[in-house]
Amino acid sequence: MRRTLIAALLILATPSIAYAQAEAWWGHVTILADDSMRGRETGSPEHRRAAEYVAGAFQRAGLVPAGSDGWFQPVRFQVRRIAEGRSSLALVRGAKAESLDFGKDATINLRSSSAGKVDAPLVFIGYGVYSREHGHDDLAGLDLKGKVAVVLAGAAPKGVPGPALAAGRAAAAEALHQRGAVGVLTIYSPHSDIPWERYALARLHPQMRLASDSTAHAGGGTVTVVLNPARAERLFSGSRRTYASVQALADSGAPLPRFDLPVRLRATVAVDESEAVSDNVVGLLPGADQLLKTEYVALTAHLDHLGVGQPVAGDSIFNGAMDNASGIATLIETAATLGARSTRPRRSVLFVAVTAEEKGLLGSDYFAGHPTVPEGGALVANLNTDMFLPINPLRRLLVNGLEESDLADDVRRAAGRLGIEVITDPEPERNAFVRSDQFSFIRRGIPALSLKVGFAVGSPEHDRVLRWRQERYHGVEDEVTQSVDRQGAEDFNRLYPEVVTEVANRTTRPAWYPTSAFRPETGSH
Ligand SMILES: [Zn+2]
């Protein structure tokens, strides 16, 4: 919907020195999230236009081009789209096949599926988590060869803490593959931030892999299906448990039974493949200290969003105003603030607008694997901001990763000076620390933090966040017509450069705490 101009005018109609940062920030948001940017899909001409806008803003801020090609670091992708007309899914019970409708009943996750046919019995394996250190193994004692494993998404077993969960799921997926399973059927969480209907629409967006990622092509004859929880009961009928009973157990983190289900999955997967190139945008503020300037603090925010999809109530553009034009706008304003100061930070600061976050953190993965720093330079920390949600005042700063590294000291010092309280994630079960671009740095051993406007569980502010997720997150309603808290936006944009300065000026190199589950085994960094 074309209401951009009106929203911009509403803001401009009441200019105020008190909100100078917020207004400059909002100016970038309205441009990047305008309908003409068509949702900034990775690889699209509009994403390139947005990247050029960011490069221009970095230049005006006084940054130095620091990509592999001027301001840009082009990244190559393999693009895959499901060809639903040539694909099919069915549940087979005895001689009776019951087909599943794409979108209504189920979707195929192309990230971990290969083209071909699978016809295999189902085995329910509960949470689908394997963590040796926490004594949890959902695969123990099961015959998985030639079977499709059924797991509950978004549920966590008691006793496996958040940071270990992502690793525990990845380890189980790897073990399933090694033990001959031919697929995974995930029952979508009935408690997800994103309702099934909105999630199912996303199946039509192209999925991507890094063209340089050779391991992504491994496998063959495997399929990952995601099932609407409203259809899950039909998997269990005729078995010794109902779906409702196992979901209820999972909701409390209780141990889950694991057993064969009396149905088979029959899947035919057809895929259309193509290629795309999309840019990371990289600007450098060189460090002032002769020794420390070879250490680089990477600031990231993702520029891409979901592009254009099926119309919902007449609108088909996923504008991504909060997700994540808001974070890019903060990156730009931080560059402007630091670039205008007479004293530069001691370490070098890289401003990186990454592509393909929505495709699985791919642009940041590529950057962290191929950092555009001169020889002898090293990335020593990452600060990320993704959808920091200034829909509430900034009384508390929510920091993901606060328990993991001594970057916590820097953020506390910066926030303390502005009288802002620093809090840990009040919703640890969402595993936000591994769900945005900071994870591309974390898994390479680089300490990282992600910052947002905070709230207390059960507060009116929390309600506002929950409502925002239900109504707008990854929906066409994440537009520039929504209202933001100007004071919250102002304060966040004032605080962020201070956090960056603290990290860039600290004496010692940032380090993981010895207790962190993310600390690399070698103990370096
Ligand atoms: Zn995002």
Side-chain angles (χ1 to χ4, degrees), residues 220-295:
T222 62
V223 66
T224 300
V225 170
V226 185
L227 185 71
N228 183 347
R231 306 290 187 276
E233 212 56 84
R234 64 181 72 172
L235 294 183
F236 291 79
S237 101
S239 78
R240 55 198 179 85
R241 300 279 189 150
T242 62
Y243 163 63
S245 70
V246 294
Q247 184 67 53
L249 285 171
D251 289 346
S252 63
L256 292 178
R258 297 168 300 126
F259 51 92
D260 286 323
L261 293 165
V263 276
R264 303 170 67 82
L265 175 73
R266 187 177 289 165
T268 301
V269 183
V271 177
D272 292 326
E273 295 195 1
S274 58
E275 286 180 356
V277 178
S278 190
D279 300 292
N280 292 330
V281 189
V282 194
L284 168 69
L285 187 66
D289 184 283
Q290 277 313 309
L291 290 174
L292 290 179
K293 71 177 184 186
T294 58
E295 295 188 0

Side-chain angles (χ1 to χ4, degrees), residues 302 305 323-324 357-358 386-387 436 473-474:
H302 74 87
H305 193 51
D323 189 10
N324 183 32
E357 189 271 354
E358 305 286 10
D386 183 0
M387 214 172 81
S436 186
Y473 180 44
H474 280 203

Side-chain angles (χ1 to χ4, degrees), residues 380-392:
V380 298
N382 169 245
L383 301 177
N384 187 50
T385 181
D386 183 0
M387 214 172 81
F388 67 90
L389 280 192
I391 56 176
N392 288 310

